Amino acid sequence: MAACCLSYGEDLTDNFRRAATYADRILKGEKPSELPVQAPVKFELVINLKTAKALGLSIPQTLLVRADEVIE
């Protein structure tokens, strides 16, 4: 099994929350074809220090400070 050292992607919780507002609008009678397409607006950075150390990588402190989650 391969382990990931660094992940940067969209925040799924935020996407689900925004999808709920779409469902609400559809249930209130709006046509799905008339709703705008939305791109993700919130992203998160996750760093796995355990994997980085196993690979012999050093993660700069500035990157660690900016991370949304650091796995030790």
Side-chain angles (χ1 to χ4, degrees):
M1 177 162 88
C4 183
C5 176
L6 184 103
S7 173
Y8 182 73
E10 59 195 53
D11 183 354
L12 293 178
T13 305
D14 184 56
N15 285 349
F16 292 140
R17 186 176 304 118
R18 293 188 311 134
T21 61
Y22 262 53
D24 181 55
R25 290 171 68 179
I26 292 168
L27 291 172
K28 288 181 179 175
E30 289 191 50
K31 294 182 180 179
S33 62
E34 294 177 358
L35 293 174
V37 175
Q38 293 186 358
V41 293
K42 188 174 179 187
F43 296 86
E44 62 183 1
L45 172 65
V46 179
I47 300 172
N48 188 331
L49 284 179
K50 185 177 179 181
T51 301
K53 288 178 184 177
L55 295 171
L57 301 173
S58 174
I59 306 295
Q61 186 65 31
T62 55
L63 192 57
L64 291 173
V65 171
R66 299 191 93 168
D68 295 297
E69 182 180 353
V70 177
I71 301 169
E72 301 213 28

